[in-house]
């Protein structure tokens, strides 16, 4: 017997997979869209896009009916007079901001959000933000870019949070604390807080906080745990301020949530058995709830168009926990370091693509003939009309999907369209 | 710079997309940054189209800025031509590409494609969506239509083109069906419908018609004016929304087709035109003089005001449009009703105007629907912009006789609903109708404390109990107007209401309460009364009843 010499293959999944990089027409949102959920998260912040009518129209189209509830976002539309000279544009912006803040005295934090037009004409919004911060003492004015030329969809959140990082207070004491980064639904945030408290971790902050006045502090004792995969710039700036990133997969599905919480526990010096014990009931509940969806999803083939950078963690969850087969997994941008754990968990041989040439990707999609296509609303109905079952991807960003209690809801988002197709065919 | 929360219109390139998406075998290459593809979902989601709009975007990014973007554009045009093999192409720039000043027209012509390529100049920082649609259609017509008119063959039936309907147009699909039906009954043939459903090749046949039916001036007027100038093709001026307008339209079409108007009207089957009788029936008496505020694109707003005042007996208390191109027409119409025209694309200003006019019904766009909701007013949608529910599965034209039927139902329904809702609200404190009361026609076999009949509740101060008997008596003959919640009625007046006067006001039936409040406040202002007492309330009533 020479069993001892049988080589043990460490399954590295897709760690070394070559990635198809494409360039061409991109059927994606720009970063301005992030405003739609960020303004719900930071309750006393206002987002003022400095852009064109197109930007206003985009935000309006993406916000749907939400725009009527006296929303905390608006657009300062650049017109031809502003294009004539830059000094004038700055004065105009000051006027718009004054009018806005008079109307909304409850606002404590104002983001000037750059757009493609404001960037192309090189309107210096960072100087404008400084100037306006001085003019309106009670309101902090910051800026970031949500333009399509620089950001794709969820990268708008990255840019926004990155603008907050220099504003964070330095952490005063030398006790380690946990900083969870990325906007999560309030219900998810509360669940994580309870689970962590159950392990004895109470020094937990979230970025962004729910109010401008309660943003967390950061320092060398900060253990930074990313809740979202699209936070490259925010993480880089937090690291520059001494925060140490805790490597983990993302908290999607039972497995992802457990590993993410275990990484937090480990970083905060909590023994693994205590952490496992604290999460056991929620984990068992989630596993039971997933079973019904697994019957619907197992063996089905899925294709991801790029949208939010959530695609890799989602594909990992659907493949490992739901038994789905991955055809192509597209992402607008792939951060190898932040997604290292996800790449290792993806089934070897998965086709990964970064960027997009939408017509060619549609050709590949049709050739792969998947059972379910994850794509944006511009592609969903046309693909349905061709006979494909689709899941529109924006919902994955707007719905609470992280953590144990949401695992079955997340699976349900994918099983519902398949179930519906069965019902209508019957 | 303009502070904007809501925009009534998108940028002009969205108008160009409405033309391109409405047509067949035409492809639009739009020089634009990543992200502008959001506009696709207007078509695939709101209009529920089952194909992608025929638009290719260059999706340039920051790293491409510089000379690279021109090459990117040329590649996109060439690839789109090879992939889609259209009969003609549109090329143009979105707002950001306008700033980087690549020349889409020049770059595309340099490719020397074997099809017509129409370059669009759409000034994004001055113009908007409807203008973009009109300009795009005009450029297509100008570039593709031969400048020689084809005369009608002796003995052939008169023919026309129907111009103006586009993708993402409010009820364009069904209006078109309705108008086609009318024309067929008159004996006029339809040569080409454009842009909706037409190919570039179809456009080349526009000159074969005797005249043009202009359905939507916002999108079709420039093209019609050019066809009139260049080919001598006259076009219709009447938009057939409402029964009277439809009859006028038939007469006008007859004139252009060389048919006697009376003969044409006799050929048309109006047996399914129910709105005139419905409006004459006694049930509709309560519609008389109902105060209505109208806002939308100019064409629909003017037509709606006409139908409301002449065919329903409403009173127009406000008329406006967001489309500056047709401001003159709105001013003219508003003068006819003796109201200030409102030309504005700021929905906060529209909200202020509605609040000040204190209407009993709002006819408007999606935005007015939400303004009305906030003010607690009944509302119906008459114009784009609209949301997905206003691209209905059922047949729902605005034009022609069936269109008038649809208008009658659509506008009267929120008023009926308003009456129902407020009767229920009014009887909330009533001993039989309180909210915990069990259904009266069911036996009470399981009495619970909630089912016990309470004593008639004393009037709470903030929600005055109605005088049930009076209210019921008046309700029988009453117009259905909802009371506006106090915050919705902008106090134009400084006079303060004494609490007992406020309570007394609450006893006045809801459907005249708003008017009573307005009149009393105006009276107090005129008389220089600082505090409105019960006396003031009845003084005002006496004053205005004279």
């Amino acid at each position: 017997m020479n069993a001892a010499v049988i080589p043990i293959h460490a399954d590295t999944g897709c760690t070394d997979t070559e990635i198809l990089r494409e360039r061409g027409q991109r059927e994606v949102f720009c970063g301005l869209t992030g405003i739609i959920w960020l303004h719900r998260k930071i309750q006393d912040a206002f987002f003022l896009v400095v852009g064109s009518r197109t930007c206003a129209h985009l935000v309006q189209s993406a916000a749907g009916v939400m725009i009527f509830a006296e929303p905390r976002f608006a657009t300062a539309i650049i017109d031809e007079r502003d294009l004539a000279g830059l000094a004038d544009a700055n004065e105009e912006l000051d006027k718009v901001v004054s009018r806005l803040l008079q109307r909304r005295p409850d606002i404590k934090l104002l983001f000037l959000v750059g757009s493609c037009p404001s960037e192309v004409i090189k309107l210096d919004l960072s100087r404008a933000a400084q100037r306006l911060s001085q003019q309106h003492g009670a309101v902090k004015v910051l800026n970031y870019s949500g333009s399509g030329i620089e950001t794709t969809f969820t990268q708008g959140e990255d840019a926004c949070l990155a603008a907050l990082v220099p504003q964070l207070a330095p952490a005063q004491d030398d006790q380690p604390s946990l900083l969870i980064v990325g906007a999560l639904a309030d219900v998810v945030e509360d669940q994580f807080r309870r689970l962590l408290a159950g392990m004895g971790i109470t020094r937990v902050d979230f970025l962004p906080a729910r109010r401008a006045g309660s943003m967390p502090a950061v320092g060398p004792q900060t253990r930074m745990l990313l809740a979202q995969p699209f936070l490259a710039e925010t993480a880089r700036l937090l690291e520059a301020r001494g925060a140490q990133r805790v490597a983990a997969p993302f908290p999607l599905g039972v497995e992802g949530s457990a590993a993410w919480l275990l990484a937090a526990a480990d970083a905060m010096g909590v023994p693994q058995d205590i952490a496992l014990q604290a999460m056991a009931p929620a984990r068992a509940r989630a596993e039971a709830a997933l079973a019904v969806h697994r019957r619907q999803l197992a063996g089905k083939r899925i294709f991801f168009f790029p949208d939010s950078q959530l695609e890799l963690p989602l594909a990992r969850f659907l493949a490992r926990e739901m038994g789905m087969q991955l055809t192509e997994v597209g992402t607008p941008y792939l951060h190898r370091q932040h997604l290292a754990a996800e790449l290792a968990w993806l089934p070897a041989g998965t086709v990964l693509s970064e960027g997009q040439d939408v017509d060619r990707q549609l050709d590949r999609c049709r050739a792969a003939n998947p059972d379910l296509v994850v794509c944006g609303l511009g592609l969903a109905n046309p693909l349905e009309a061709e006979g494909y079952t689709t899941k529109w991807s924006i919902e994955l960003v707007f719905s609470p999907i992280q953590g144990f209690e949401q695992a079955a809801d997340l699976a349900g988002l994918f099983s519902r369209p398949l179930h519906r197709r069965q019902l209508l065919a019957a | 710079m303009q502070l904007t929360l809501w925009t009534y219109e998108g940028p002009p390139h969205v108008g160009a997309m409405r033309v391109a998406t409405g047509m067949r075998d035409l492809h639009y290459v739009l020089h634009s940054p990543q992200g502008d593809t959001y506009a696709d979902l207007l078509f695939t989601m709101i209009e529920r189209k089952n194909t992608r709009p025929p638009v290719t975007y260059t999706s340039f990014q920051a790293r491409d800025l510089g000379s690279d973007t021109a090459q990117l554009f040329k590649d996109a045009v060439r690839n789109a031509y090879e992939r889609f093999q259209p009969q003609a192409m549109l090329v143009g720039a979105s707002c950001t590409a306008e700033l980087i000043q690549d020349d889409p027209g020049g770059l595309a012509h340099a490719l020397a494609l074997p099809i017509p390529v129409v370059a669009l100049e759409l000034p994004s920082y001055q113009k908007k969506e409807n203008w973009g649609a009109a300009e795009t259609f005009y450029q297509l017509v100008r570039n593709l239509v031969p400048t020689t008119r084809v005369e009608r063959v002796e003995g052939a039936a008169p023919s026309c083109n129907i111009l103006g309907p586009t993708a993402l147009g409010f009820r364009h699909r069904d209006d078109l069906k309705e108008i086609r039906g009318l024309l067929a009954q008159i004996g006029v043939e339809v040569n080409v419908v454009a842009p909706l459903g037409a190919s570039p090749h179809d456009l080349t046949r526009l000159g074969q018609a005797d005249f043009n039916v202009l359905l939507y001036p916002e999108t079709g007027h420039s093209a019609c004016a050019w066809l009139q100038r260049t080919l001598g093709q006259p076009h219709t001026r009447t938009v057939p929304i409402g029964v009277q307008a439809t009859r006028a339209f038939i007469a006008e079409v007859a004139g252009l087709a060389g048919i006697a108007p009376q003969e044409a009207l006799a050929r048309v089957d109006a047996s399914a035109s129910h709105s005139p009788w419905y409006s004459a029936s006694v049930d509709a008496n309560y519609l008389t003089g109902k105060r209505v505020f109208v806002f939308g694109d100019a064409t629909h707003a003017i037509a709606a005001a006409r139908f409301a005042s002449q065919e329903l007996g409403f009173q127009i208390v406000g008329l406006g449009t967001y489309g500056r191109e047709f401001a003159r027409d709105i001013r003219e119409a508003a003068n006819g009703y003796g109201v200030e025209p409102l030309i504005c694309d700021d929905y906060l200003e529209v909200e202020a105007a509605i609040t000040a006019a204190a209407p009993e019904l709002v006819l408007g766009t999606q935005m007015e629907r939400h303004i009305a909701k906030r003010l607690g007013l009944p509302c119906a949608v008459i114009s784009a912009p609209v949301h997905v529910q206003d691209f209905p599965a059922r047949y729902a034209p605005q034009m022609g006789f069936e269109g008038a039927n649809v208008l009658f139902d659509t506008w009267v329904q929120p008023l009926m609903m308003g009456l129902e809702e407020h009767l229920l609200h009014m009887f909330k404190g009533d001993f039989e109708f309180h909210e915990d009361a069990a259904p009266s026609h069911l036996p009470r076999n399981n009495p619970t404390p909630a089912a016990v009949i309470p004593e008639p509740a004393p009037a709470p101060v903030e929600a005055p109990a109605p005088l049930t008997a009076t209210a019921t008596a008046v309700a029988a003959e009453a117009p259905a107007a909802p009371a506006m919640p106090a915050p919705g009625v902008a106090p134009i007046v400084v006079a303060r209401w004494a609490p007992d006067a406020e309570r007394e006001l609450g006893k006045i039936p809801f459907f005249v309460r708003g008017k009573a409040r307005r009149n009393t406040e105006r009276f107090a202002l005129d008389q220089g009364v600082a505090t409105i007492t019960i006396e003031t309330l009845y003084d005002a009533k006496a004053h205005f009843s004279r």
Side-chain angles (χ1 to χ4, degrees):
Chain A
M1 291 291 290
N2 53 359
V5 297
I6 290 175
I8 297 165
H9 287 288
D11 183 4
T12 55
C14 287
T15 303
D16 301 318
T17 299
E18 193 158 327
I19 290 158
L20 176 64
R21 289 204 171 74
E22 281 205 308
R23 181 175 170 179
Q25 176 177 332
R26 288 179 152 223
E27 189 83 19
V28 289
F29 282 124
C30 64
L32 294 181
T33 327
I35 292 170
I36 311 299
W37 65 88
L38 284 168
H39 91 285
R40 300 285 305 151
K41 188 68 205 177
I42 315 176
Q43 295 164 12
D44 50 4
F46 195 101
F47 294 79
L48 179 65
V49 178
V50 182
S52 63
R53 183 167 300 281
T54 311
C55 307
H57 197 232
L58 158 87
V59 174
Q60 171 172 322
S61 306
V65 292
M66 207 191 273
I67 199 154
F68 297 104
E70 193 68 7
R72 282 176 287 102
F73 51 82
T75 309
I77 295 186
I78 297 171
D79 55 34
E80 42 179 345
R81 292 182 308 117
D82 303 308
L83 295 177
L86 285 184
D88 186 42
N90 281 312
E91 274 172 38
E92 288 283 310
L93 181 60
D94 292 6
K95 268 188 239 162
V96 164
V97 168
S98 298
R99 190 180 159 206
L100 179 70
L101 293 177
Q102 266 165 16
R103 204 181 137 77
R104 299 299 301 266
D106 52 322
I107 296 307
K108 299 285 181 286
L109 177 61
L110 173 67
F111 287 102
L112 302 178
V113 188
S115 66
C116 302
S118 76
E119 258 153 48
V120 169
I121 64 170
K122 304 208 184 308
L123 188 58
D124 191 341
L125 291 183
S126 74
R127 271 185 52 194
Q130 280 173 15
R131 182 178 69 237
L132 287 161
S133 274
Q134 283 167 1
Q135 277 175 30
H136 305 273
V139 182
K140 175 152 290 292
V141 185
L142 299 176
N143 87 291
Y144 71 89
S145 168
S147 73
I149 55 178
E150 308 222 308
T151 58
T152 306
F153 197 28
T154 48
Q155 282 178 320
E157 175 174 330
D158 187 27
C160 173
L161 301 190
L164 282 171
V165 173
Q167 306 296 317
L168 301 180
Q172 294 301 335
D173 55 30
D174 51 5
Q175 292 290 309
S177 70
L178 186 64
L179 178 63
I180 295 175
V181 188
L184 292 168
D186 288 354
V187 59
V188 176
E189 197 177 297
D190 293 342
Q191 287 167 11
F192 283 148
R193 216 181 263 283
R194 280 198 300 274
L195 282 167
L196 292 165
M199 303 174 189
I201 303 172
T202 52
R203 295 173 56 86
V204 183
D205 291 304
F206 288 82
L207 183 70
R210 294 181 198 183
R211 305 198 75 87
S214 50
M215 291 296 166
V218 62
Q221 290 304 317
T222 303
R223 309 285 185 263
M224 167 180 72
L225 182 61
L226 300 180
Q228 302 281 15
F230 42 73
L231 298 171
E233 182 65 7
T234 308
R236 192 182 68 78
L237 292 179
L238 284 167
E239 278 167 345
R241 293 200 51 182
Q244 302 159 41
R245 186 174 72 88
V246 178
F250 291 92
L252 297 174
V254 176
E255 195 182 33
S257 302
W260 188 77
L261 286 164
L262 281 175
D266 189 46
M268 295 297 282
V270 174
Q272 197 177 37
D273 55 333
I274 292 181
L276 286 170
Q277 201 182 341
M279 67 175 83
R283 189 176 180 174
R285 246 193 330 266
E287 263 162 10
L290 280 180
V292 59
H293 300 288
R294 192 175 296 119
R295 279 197 294 278
Q296 180 75 255
L297 294 172
K300 297 286 195 310
R301 303 169 72 251
I302 189 166
F303 189 104
F304 282 87
F305 279 83
D307 192 49
S308 62
Q309 299 185 47
L310 281 163
E311 293 82 4
L312 264 62
L314 288 170
R316 175 266 300 166
F317 160 67
L318 291 170
R320 289 172 62 103
E321 296 188 50
M322 294 291 105
M324 292 190 86
Q325 291 176 31
L326 308 178
T327 53
E328 175 172 334
V329 181
T331 178
Y333 178 72
L334 203 158
H335 193 295
R336 277 201 169 273
Q337 205 185 353
H338 289 182
L339 286 161
E342 299 289 353
L343 284 167
W345 269 1
L346 278 172
T350 305
V351 176
L352 300 177
S353 65
E354 184 182 12
Q356 187 174 33
D357 180 331
V358 71
D359 286 313
R360 291 167 58 167
Q361 195 166 28
L362 278 165
D363 292 343
R364 292 199 301 276
C365 177
R366 292 180 184 114
N369 193 24
D371 298 302
L372 187 63
V373 183
V374 183
C375 61
L377 290 174
L379 298 178
N381 270 337
L383 283 170
E384 290 278 349
E386 287 182 32
Y388 297 96
T389 305
T390 63
K391 166 67 225 142
W392 49 284
S393 50
I394 312 167
E395 200 178 4
L396 298 160
V397 176
F398 289 115
S399 312
I401 56 169
Q402 292 84 1
F404 293 122
E405 313 299 350
Q406 282 67 238
D409 300 342
L410 175 58
L413 289 176
F414 294 93
S415 63
R416 190 183 306 124
L418 290 166
H419 181 50
R420 180 167 183 78
R421 180 156 288 248
Q422 279 174 351
L423 283 176
L424 298 185
Chain B
M1 246 174 231
Q2 186 199 356
L3 179 61
T4 312
L5 284 86
W6 243 119
T7 108
Y8 282 94
E9 290 182 74
H13 73 257
V14 169
M17 287 181 68
R18 286 177 52 190
V19 171
T21 305
M23 290 182 60
R24 295 178 290 119
D25 297 319
L26 175 71
H27 201 88
Y28 182 22
V29 179
L30 184 62
H31 202 17
S32 68
Q34 162 176 266
D36 280 1
T37 50
Y38 82 88
D40 282 0
L41 66 88
L42 303 172
F43 299 92
T44 59
M45 295 305 291
I46 295 179
E47 198 176 5
R48 284 195 176 92
K49 275 197 72 82
N50 60 5
T51 52
R52 293 172 63 210
V55 182
T56 293
Y57 304 79
T58 52
S59 298
F60 58 80
Q61 292 175 273
R63 59 165 189 254
D64 302 318
L65 291 178
S67 61
D68 213 2
T69 53
Q71 189 56 47
L72 210 63
F73 181 78
K74 286 207 278 193
D75 293 345
V77 174
R78 195 184 296 107
N79 290 341
Y81 171 71
E82 279 164 14
R83 179 176 281 269
F84 300 103
Q85 298 283 313
Q87 293 173 8
M89 280 175 105
L90 293 169
V91 295
S94 79
C95 51
T96 305
E98 193 182 330
L99 297 171
I100 61 175
Q101 296 183 333
D102 291 330
D103 169 22
L107 292 168
H109 283 293
L111 294 173
L113 297 177
I115 52 165
V117 177
V118 177
L120 299 174
E121 294 283 345
L122 304 175
S124 312
Y125 298 91
Q126 300 161 28
K127 303 290 190 182
K128 291 180 278 189
E129 179 179 329
N130 279 339
W131 187 90
E135 172 70 10
T136 302
F137 185 42
Y138 163 69
Q139 289 297 344
L140 280 169
V141 166
R142 230 191 72 152
N143 280 277
L144 299 179
V145 178
T147 51
T148 45
R149 173 87 174 270
V150 182
E151 291 301 329
R152 191 191 335 166
V153 184
E154 184 79 7
S159 71
C160 68
N161 303 309
I162 301 180
L163 303 183
T166 64
L168 213 64
F170 175 63
R171 307 294 167 89
H172 287 196
R173 177 196 69 191
D174 297 344
D175 283 349
L176 190 56
K177 185 175 175 197
E178 189 68 16
I179 296 307
R180 272 180 177 280
L182 278 179
L183 293 169
Q185 290 172 38
I186 304 171
V188 173
E189 281 183 358
V190 176
N191 178 44
V192 173
V193 176
L196 197 60
S199 67
H201 179 75
D202 291 335
L203 292 187
T204 63
R205 298 191 293 109
L206 282 177
Q208 295 171 17
D210 299 323
F211 64 97
N212 292 314
V213 167
L214 172 55
L215 281 196
Y216 307 101
E218 270 80 0
T219 49
H221 183 263
S222 325
C224 277
W226 184 86
L227 288 166
Q228 178 146 32
R229 278 198 310 277
T230 314
L231 301 187
Q233 258 177 350
H235 63 85
T236 57
R237 314 267 162 177
T238 314
V239 177
I241 297 179
V243 173
Q244 293 175 13
T246 299
R247 295 177 65 82
F249 171 80
I250 291 166
E252 190 184 12
V253 165
L256 295 175
I259 303 169
Q262 287 314 316
E263 192 192 329
L265 283 163
R267 285 185 201 169
V268 169
D269 175 17
S271 63
S273 175
H274 305 299
S275 81
W277 164 242
Y278 269 44
S279 191
S281 79
V282 292
D283 188 56
N285 251 340
Y286 77 100
L287 300 176
T288 312
K290 192 149 293 293
R291 301 164 55 81
V292 55
F293 189 100
V294 186
F295 194 85
D297 68 39
T299 300
H300 284 90
I302 292 168
R306 195 174 48 220
F307 185 71
S309 90
Q310 293 176 11
E311 299 189 39
L312 294 179
F314 290 165
Q315 183 196 347
I316 307 300
V317 295
L319 178 59
T321 184
Y322 54 81
R324 284 180 194 284
E325 290 83 9
F326 293 83
R328 189 193 294 174
D329 307 73
I330 282 281
R331 285 202 189 94
E332 212 170 280
N335 284 339
Y337 300 109
V339 297
E340 264 311 292
L342 177 66
I343 317 293
C344 129
D345 62 356
D346 180 345
Y347 92 111
L348 293 174
E349 244 180 81
V350 178
E351 185 177 72
I354 292 177
T355 311
E360 293 160 295
L361 173 68
V362 177
L363 300 175
T365 71
Q366 185 68 13
M367 285 74 156
E368 283 67 47
R369 208 166 66 85
H370 286 266
I371 291 171
K373 200 171 178 182
R374 196 180 305 165
L375 299 178
L377 292 170
C379 177
V381 170
I382 57 154
S383 159
V386 294
H387 209 54
V388 62
Q389 71 269 34
D390 275 302
F391 284 90
R394 67 174 191 282
Y395 184 53
Q398 303 285 289
M399 293 184 173
F401 296 123
E402 183 58 23
N405 295 341
V406 169
L407 295 184
F408 184 92
D409 287 347
T410 311
W411 301 3
V412 170
Q413 198 202 15
L415 295 173
M416 296 297 284
M417 300 299 283
L419 179 61
E420 271 174 23
E421 188 181 317
H422 283 272
L423 282 174
L424 290 174
H425 180 72
M426 184 161 61
F427 291 131
K428 208 161 64 176
D430 186 275
F431 71 99
E432 281 183 308
F433 294 99
H434 66 91
E435 49 196 348
D436 296 325
S440 58
H441 57 286
L442 295 176
R444 282 179 203 170
N445 51 14
N446 188 16
T448 60
V452 173
I453 301 167
E455 289 297 304
V461 177
E462 64 282 6
L467 294 182
T468 310
T470 325
T472 319
V474 192
E477 62 186 45
M484 278 177 294
V489 183
I492 330 154
V493 163
V494 283
R496 202 170 52 80
W497 283 78
D500 56 346
E502 187 90 49
R503 269 196 298 279
E504 194 73 9
L505 179 70
K507 295 174 188 170
I508 294 172
F510 67 88
F511 37 80
V512 286
R513 200 181 297 151
K515 193 173 166 193
R517 177 187 287 275
R518 227 174 22 253
N519 283 351
T520 309
E521 288 173 352
R522 196 193 307 160
F523 178 78
L525 184 71
D526 291 346
Q527 303 291 315
V529 177
T531 305
I532 296 170
T533 62
I534 295 181
E535 288 300 303
T536 325
L537 182 64
Y538 285 114
D539 285 347
K541 182 169 188 284
H543 175 80
F544 284 106
S545 66
R546 272 185 284 131

